[in-house]
Amino acid sequence: MTTLYFLDAAEFTDVSAVAAAQPGARVERLPGYVAVTADGPLIVDRRATGVRHSVWYSALAAVGHGRVVQYDKDALKVEPTP
Amino acid sequence: MTSPTAQLREQEAAPRGTSSHPVRGINHMAFPTFDPAGTIHFYRDVLGLPVVQTMQVKAWGPEYQRDFVHFFFDIGNADCLAFFYYFGQEPYHDENVPPLLDLGRHVALHVDTVEDLDGFQKRIEDAGLKLDMRVMHETVESIYVRDPNGILIEIARPLRELAAADAVDAEVTAQALLDVVASDGEPTLDALWARKAELIASRVPA
């Protein structure tokens, strides 16, 4: 089970929303953060978020039980770790 | 990972600018200059920041000291950007600073509005100087220009007010960084993300 944490700030709202829109993803609002959890890989399409590069590359605040296998101009992909 | 450092100091997290410590901004930050004419022209005439304090000093103290002029430009909020011009000192420029570290070392001035930022861009371009770049960062929009000394000057305007969440995240990130650099493994962003997740989860009531 992998959890992506995004800072609960206006510039990251579209990123966390795209992450949360995946089938099977669950969203939880924590103090200061939006946490998106899934049993399988989590993939965020950068173009779907519509955010500028500076926001995109600073959007990921934390990763619980996952490994970032892609984080580039196309997508963020995080796979679960045992 | 077991934290080798102190517990998160959440109680001290406060939005930027609201801390209760006694420091009130930058009294001054100072750099040497070998081009006082260019420096005064750039800050006073191009940017419009007046020279508000100077001192001319006869060398005293250590033998390497030289006669010098110390001059201060007002950068608002009673803060100053200051320079030393040492008479007779051979110019020195570090040509070997890696580009990444060169960019990381800069001075950022604050303005309140986009109109202020546009105004500074116009001042710089009207003076025939080249703007290095204009960038929308996460929470500020910035323009960058080199001063005659090679110092990278950023002028930034806020895109939003910082909030409690920013301060909490800053504390969490700082603690995670302390833990990551103190651990046996190689400090990486991946390690920081993982440690932050542990710290965030530990803050959530069960």
Side-chain angles (χ1 to χ4, degrees), chain B residues 60-76:
Chain B
W60 65 280
E63 69 173 42
Y64 57 73
Q65 186 59 273
R66 293 180 178 273
D67 299 344
F68 65 90
V69 177
H70 197 15
F71 50 104
F72 297 70
F73 298 97
D74 174 53
I75 55 171

Side-chain angles (χ1 to χ4, degrees), chain A residues 5-27:
Chain A
Y5 296 87
F6 303 94
L7 184 65
D8 191 5
E11 64 268 24
F12 301 125
T13 301
D14 292 338
V15 182
S16 59
V18 171
Q22 304 171 70
R26 302 178 293 283
V27 184

Side-chain angles (χ1 to χ4, degrees), chain B residues 126-153:
Chain B
D126 285 352
L129 301 176
K130 183 177 178 299
L131 210 64
D132 270 27
M133 51 187 167
R134 180 164 180 151
V135 182
M136 293 283 276
H137 293 292
E138 300 89 333
T139 58
V140 296
E141 181 182 18
S142 301
I143 58 175
Y144 294 84
V145 64
R146 293 275 174 183
D147 89 343
N149 308 291
I151 300 167
L152 186 59
I153 299 295

Side-chain angles (χ1 to χ4, degrees), chain B residues 178-189:
Chain B
L178 289 170
D179 293 346
V180 165
V181 298
S183 70
D184 293 334
E186 180 186 355
T188 63
L189 185 56

Side-chain angles (χ1 to χ4, degrees), chain B residues 20 35 72 172:
Chain B
S20 58
D35 181 6
F72 297 70
V172 172

